[in-house]
Amino acid sequence: MTSLTHIATPDGVAPGVNYSHVVWGTGRFIAISGQCAFDEKGDVVGEGDPAAQARQIFENLRRCLEAAGATFDDVVKLTVFVTDVAYLPAIREARDAHINNGRLPASSAVQVAALFRPDLLMEIEAFAVVSDR
């Protein structure tokens, strides 16, 4: 794990809620493509259920991070794409089950008209930084 610096609210910037405005570190950069609620067989988990989809996505993110030699402690940025911003509380709940609330990554949430399949409610991508080996 690398040493990351989190700044929740820089001087002159409105306070953020449930994210850090700035996160930085030194080391190897990892970009994880947007993850959707697919299980290991490629089937959608939780059709019509934002909480179930969010839990599956964070499990997929965990597996991707692990494959890169990282953990959620190394995540510096999350970008959430949702078909309805009403799903954000379910996403936060799934996120909080994996990420220390005192070390939240920088985050963006974007409502989109649709994802590439109509049964998908959200997609989440992540960026992480780990120490050079």
Side-chain angles (χ1 to χ4, degrees), residues 74-95:
D74 302 309
V75 172
V76 297
K77 175 77 163 75
L78 292 174
T79 304
V80 175
F81 302 94
V82 292
T83 57
D84 188 332
V85 293
Y87 303 150
L88 291 176
I91 293 168
R92 283 189 208 105
E93 185 176 328
R95 180 205 62 196

Side-chain angles (χ1 to χ4, degrees), residues 40-58:
E40 57 277 352
K41 294 179 279 182
D43 296 327
V44 172
V45 172
E47 189 168 345
D49 182 346
Q53 288 200 13
R55 286 190 301 270
Q56 181 65 45
I57 289 169
F58 275 90

Side-chain angles (χ1 to χ4, degrees), residues 16-121:
V17 179
N18 293 317
Y19 66 94
S20 297
H21 276 282
V22 182
V23 180
W24 76 85
T26 57
R28 186 169 47 92
F29 179 77
I30 299 165
I32 298 175
S33 293
Q35 296 297 302
C36 295
F38 295 117
D39 65 15
E40 57 277 352
K41 294 179 279 182
D43 296 327
V44 172
V45 172
E47 189 168 345
D49 182 346
Q53 288 200 13
R55 286 190 301 270
Q56 181 65 45
I57 289 169
F58 275 90
E59 176 58 19
N60 292 348
L61 288 169
R62 184 196 65 74
R63 290 175 179 157
C64 290
L65 288 163
E66 186 177 276
T71 70
F72 279 105
D73 287 341
D74 302 309
V75 172
V76 297
K77 175 77 163 75
L78 292 174
T79 304
V80 175
F81 302 94
V82 292
T83 57
D84 188 332
V85 293
Y87 303 150
L88 291 176
I91 293 168
R92 283 189 208 105
E93 185 176 328
R95 180 205 62 196
D96 291 350
H98 292 276
I99 298 176
N100 177 340
N101 224 345
R103 294 177 41 92
L104 292 173
S107 297
S108 298
V110 181
Q111 183 169 323
V112 296
L115 293 168
F116 70 98
R117 283 180 46 168
D119 49 353
L120 297 174
L121 305 176

